[in-house]
Amino acid sequence: MERELLEHALYILGATHSPQARPLIEPFLHHPDPEVRGEAWLAAAEITAAESEGLTHNS
């Protein structure tokens, strides 16, 4: 997958605020491309923040 599309997919996964998306995001925290790693980190942080604020979706 092209880097831009992968970054966008990670962004969307983070925007769901769903803890179920975390296993899809986590492998990319170690991606060789630093921009992909950064987007994965932001997506994971978005889910963590939503969990902290009780805003998660379980569907």
Side-chain angles (χ1 to χ4, degrees):
M1 181 181 290
E2 292 180 28
R3 181 182 53 81
E4 292 84 8
L5 290 175
L6 182 53
E7 288 178 27
H8 188 67
L10 289 165
Y11 172 82
I12 291 169
L13 287 169
T16 67
H17 298 160
S18 174
Q20 294 174 337
R22 187 182 309 278
L24 300 171
I25 296 166
E26 287 177 347
F28 295 99
L29 294 171
H30 305 287
H31 194 276
D33 186 310
E35 293 185 36
V36 172
R37 283 194 312 268
E39 194 61 52
W41 185 87
L42 290 172
E46 186 77 21
I47 292 171
T48 300
E51 288 174 324
S52 300
E53 297 173 12
L55 301 175
T56 59
H57 302 282
N58 293 321
S59 57

